[in-house]
Amino acid sequence: TLLTLAGDSHERMRLALAKAMQADARFAARLEEPLAQLVSRLDAARALTVAQLVEGAAPTQDPNAYFAQMTGVIQAQFELNRLGTGLIDAELAARAGAVRNTLVAGVAGVLLTAGVCGALAAALARGTTRSLRHAQQAARAMAAGDLSVTVPAAVARDEVGELLGALARMRAQLAEIVSGVRGNAEAVATASAQ
């Protein structure tokens, strides 16, 4: 019957709200009193309906008063529903805000990490290319016959540092060879002149 369906619907609503109130104390604080008032009004409306329409031979209450009482109960149900959905909306908005803040913090962390890594990579690349540029300039000068060029000292113990060390040793050995050739050429020139 309609009365049974209304009672079942009321019980499902009451259980769902009780579950929500048990899960969150803030929901309980806001919904407990309105739910108790609604349950009281629903019980009174159900008793009135049974007395006036089910058990009674003919309704004794003024139809306008009966309609006003039933409409008031329905409005109270809608009001409780609005209150509950408002609480849920507020909770979802708060959780969405927290997720958004976490996401923004995560993205900021990733961007910061990427920036630091980029700066480190640029510094390493700049140091490597600077050392290679010095090595290239020294090699060109030696190829042009300038053995007075200064090969920068190796700062790092990597391939570029080894290359700079090898260039410095090559320059020193070439300078020795050229010095020896000059000495021999001067000795030959002096001997020829005598």
Side-chain angles (χ1 to χ4, degrees):
T1 67
L2 187 57
L3 191 58
T4 304
L5 289 175
D8 290 345
S9 175
H10 161 67
E11 185 60 19
R12 282 193 308 275
M13 178 202 63
R14 189 191 65 71
L15 289 173
L17 287 173
K19 186 176 180 182
M21 291 187 311
Q22 186 179 17
D24 192 326
R26 292 171 299 163
F27 283 15
R30 296 285 309 276
L31 295 176
E32 191 170 16
E33 185 178 328
L35 179 60
Q37 291 173 357
L38 179 61
V39 167
S40 176
R41 288 180 76 176
L42 282 169
D43 289 343
R46 189 175 322 133
L48 179 64
T49 300
V50 168
Q52 290 290 310
L53 301 178
V54 176
E55 294 174 351
T60 58
Q61 187 175 13
D62 175 44
N64 290 330
Y66 179 80
F67 179 75
Q69 186 174 355
M70 294 302 149
T71 302
V73 171
I74 292 169
Q75 286 175 340
Q77 283 180 313
F78 280 122
E79 195 53 46
L80 185 62
N81 186 30
R82 270 193 291 278
L83 178 61
T85 55
L87 290 171
I88 290 169
D89 286 346
E91 178 67 19
L92 289 176
R95 287 182 184 187
V99 167
R100 186 175 32 257
N101 291 344
T102 301
L103 182 62
V104 167
V107 168
V110 167
L111 291 176
L112 180 64
T113 301
V116 168
C117 288
L120 286 174
L124 287 172
R126 213 174 309 117
T128 301
T129 56
R130 185 180 312 123
S131 296
L132 285 174
R133 197 170 25 258
H134 289 306
Q136 181 186 32
Q137 290 169 350
R140 281 188 180 149
M142 286 186 277
D146 182 8
L147 297 179
S148 65
V149 68
T150 303
V151 178
V155 177
R157 292 184 175 214
D158 58 1
E159 291 83 3
V160 175
E162 289 180 21
L163 175 65
L164 289 171
L167 276 174
R169 287 189 301 277
M170 181 177 78
R171 189 203 61 76
Q173 288 175 352
L174 283 174
E176 270 184 46
I177 291 171
V178 168
S179 177
V181 167
R182 278 190 189 142
N184 287 342
E186 286 176 4
V188 168
T190 304
S192 303
Q194 290 179 2

